[in-house]
Amino acid sequence: MLAQLPTELKINILEHVDKKTLPAVLRANSTFREITEPILYSVVAVAPFIENAELCKIVIECFRTMVARPSVARAVRRLYVGLLWDTKPDSDIIGQVFGAFGDALAKLENLE
């Protein structure tokens, strides 16, 4: 039923869906991906805990997705990055996070 609605109405509905639900909607089909991606990626906020390598890997993947997928990079309007650590951070992890961040930042042409 949702697939038969006009695109503008789908967008209006999806703009009110919880952001945690949008990845599932995005994976439904190519039409929903096209509509959902700009909503999901319009505001990206990441705060990797440098001493937590797993969180850093997720953040690095997020940045790499922005580089690899131009449609994602075009969708990003606001990017918030906070680096948090309580102990001396691993310089390799810091290098990877900042390297991926720099690559992504170069692709983000629509930041407000």
Side-chain angles (χ1 to χ4, degrees):
M1 183 171 127
L2 188 60
Q4 297 171 348
L5 295 174
T7 302
E8 295 79 14
L9 191 52
K10 288 181 213 173
I11 292 169
N12 192 287
I13 291 168
L14 291 172
E15 284 175 337
H16 293 88
V17 171
D18 179 44
K19 285 232 180 193
K20 291 179 183 178
T21 305
L22 287 177
V25 174
L26 183 136
R27 291 188 295 269
N29 61 43
S30 60
T31 300
F32 285 123
R33 172 179 290 271
E34 192 175 300
I35 294 169
T36 305
E37 232 171 39
I39 298 166
L40 183 62
Y41 290 101
S42 64
V43 177
V44 176
V46 294
F49 287 87
I50 296 299
E51 65 269 3
N52 186 326
E54 289 307 309
L55 285 178
C56 285
K57 288 177 186 175
I58 292 168
V59 170
I60 290 166
E61 274 309 303
C62 177
F63 291 147
R64 287 182 178 160
T65 299
M66 292 177 198
V67 172
R69 304 215 29 241
S71 61
V72 170
R74 280 191 303 273
V76 178
R77 298 291 185 261
R78 294 188 197 121
L79 175 64
Y80 301 96
V81 179
L83 299 174
L84 310 168
W85 58 84
D86 293 327
T87 61
K88 183 179 178 188
D90 179 341
S91 61
D92 184 50
I93 290 289
I94 290 176
Q96 290 178 42
V97 169
F98 278 106
F101 174 64
D103 293 343
L105 199 54
K107 300 290 183 179
L108 303 178
E109 300 174 353
N110 294 323
L111 290 176
E112 295 175 351

